[in-house]
C-alpha cells in the first residue's frame, strides 16, 4: 500500500501564503506515480487543485492558476503545493493523492487510489 501524510496547513489572512507538503511511503509506492492535490469545502464535492506527473509536467485548476504551484521531489518522495494570494474561497480540507499510473494525471478524484488524511486550510477576509 501507499501512505500519504500532509503537513503545513493552517489559518491565514486573505492575500497570505501557505505551503503544503505531502510525504509518500509504502511497499507499493513508486516515483512513477501521478500525484495531486485536491480540496473539499463543507457542503461541496471534492475537486482537483493541481496534479503532476513523475517527469514534472503539472496542471492546475483554473480557480488556482497563477496563484498555486504544485511541485514534487522524487528523491524525497515528497509533493508540495505553494499557495499564494490566498482567498477566503480557498478555505477547505486539502488532500494529497496518488495514482498507480504515470501519464495524464487528471484532476479527477475518482482516478486516484491513495489518499492522505487531509489538512485544513482556512483563509479569513
Amino acid at each position: 500500500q501507499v501512505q500519504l501524510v500532509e503537513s503545513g496547513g493552517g489559518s491565514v489572512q486573505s492575500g497570505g501564503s501557505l505551503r503544503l507538503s505531502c510525504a509518500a511511503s509504502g511497499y507499493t509506492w513508486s516515483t512513477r506515480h501521478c500525484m495531486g492535490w485536491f480540496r473539499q469545502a463543507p457542503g461541496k464535492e471534492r475537486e482537483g487543485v493541481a496534479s503532476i506527473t513523475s517527469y514534472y509536467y503539472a496542471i492546475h485548476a483554473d480557480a488556482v492558476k497563477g496563484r498555486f504551484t504544485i511541485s514534487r521531489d522524487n528523491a524525497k518522495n515528497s509533493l508540495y503545493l505553494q499557495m499564494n494570494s490566498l482567498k477566503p474561497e480557498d478555505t477547505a480540507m486539502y488532500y494529497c493523492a496518488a495514482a498507480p499510473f504515470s501519464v495524464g494525471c487528471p484532476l479527477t478524484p475518482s482516478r486516484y487510489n491513495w489518499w492522505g488524511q487531509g489538512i485544513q486550510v482556512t483563509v479569513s477576509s
Side-chain angles (χ1 to χ4, degrees):
Q1 289 296 332
V2 172
Q3 289 80 45
L4 302 170
V5 180
E6 302 99 337
S7 61
S11 296
V12 65
Q13 289 192 327
S14 183
S17 297
L18 284 173
R19 186 180 190 235
L20 303 183
S21 299
C22 174
S25 63
Y27 181 75
T28 56
W29 168 251
S30 167
T31 57
R32 295 191 299 274
H33 290 158
C34 281
M35 297 192 79
W37 287 101
F38 297 80
R39 68 185 181 185
Q40 189 167 17
K44 295 188 176 181
E45 292 187 355
R46 191 169 298 188
E47 64 176 0
V49 175
S51 67
I52 188 167
T53 69
S54 59
Y55 45 92
Y56 307 109
Y57 178 80
I59 59 173
H60 297 80
D62 288 344
V64 306
K65 205 168 289 184
R67 300 187 298 120
F68 293 10
T69 303
I70 190 172
S71 62
R72 66 190 290 171
D73 185 337
N74 287 338
K76 295 182 178 179
N77 294 324
S78 293
L79 179 72
Y80 307 100
L81 185 68
Q82 179 65 44
M83 304 185 293
N84 299 329
S85 302
L86 282 159
K87 304 175 182 180
E89 51 263 44
D90 295 318
T91 295
M93 188 73 78
Y94 283 71
Y95 297 89
C96 170
F101 49 84
S102 51
V103 297
C105 299
L107 291 177
T108 308
S110 61
R111 297 295 305 278
Y112 289 75
N113 290 44
W114 303 293
W115 293 84
Q117 80 284 357
I119 194 162
Q120 181 67 37
V121 170
T122 302
V123 184
S124 57
S125 57

